[in-house]
Every structure is written in structure tokens, then in C-alpha cells.
Amino acid sequence: MTEDNVQKTGVVKFFSLNGGYGFIEDDETGTDIFVHLNNLKECGLNELNKDNKVSFVQNKKGARFYATDIKLL
């Protein structure tokens, strides 16, 4: 069972600046983790590029995982 607020690493699979969202592929599980532009801005980032290596905190709301505290590696 996956817990909230777990520190993870992954690779940006997709990010659309126009759409304001994207997905990070978790290195450990291969799961797609949602990332929103607002969460990036809270971390001092303006965008992500495909294949960027990142660390993040995995959170869960309902059945969906999302990333916060995102840092480029």
C-alpha cells in the first residue's frame, strides 16, 4: 500500500505549459504521477521538460496521486 507524502524520484513523461499540467513517471513503480503548474510554481519552477530527472513528494487525493515539492536533479 502506498502512503501519502512519500519522497520519490522520477522522470518527466509529459508536461504541457499551455495546459498547465503533466506527468512524472515514478522510478520505483513506473506509475504516472500528476503534476500541476501551480505545484511547480510553489517550488520556484516555471515548467518541466520531457525527460527531466526530478525528486518529488507523492501525495494522494482520492484515487489519484500528485506531486509536490518538485526539484530538478
Side-chain angles (χ1 to χ4, degrees):
M1 181 175 179
T2 306
E3 297 179 24
D4 289 351
N5 302 316
V6 177
Q7 186 71 44
K8 300 275 197 163
T9 60
V11 175
V12 176
K13 188 172 182 178
F14 162 82
F15 189 79
S16 169
L17 190 56
N18 290 335
Y21 73 96
F23 294 93
I24 298 168
E25 184 175 338
D26 182 328
D27 283 341
E28 186 179 331
T29 65
T31 303
D32 288 346
I33 310 297
F34 180 80
V35 59
H36 193 273
L37 182 59
N38 289 341
N39 294 109
L40 279 182
K41 289 184 177 185
E42 289 173 0
C43 302
L45 299 171
N46 292 317
E47 67 179 309
L48 293 172
N49 295 306
K50 184 177 175 40
D51 296 327
N52 280 153
K53 181 76 171 172
V54 295
S55 68
F56 61 96
V57 173
Q58 175 182 283
N59 298 277
K60 187 174 182 181
K61 184 172 184 178
R64 188 161 92 171
F65 293 107
Y66 67 96
T68 59
D69 196 25
I70 303 144
K71 295 179 179 85
L72 292 173
L73 298 177

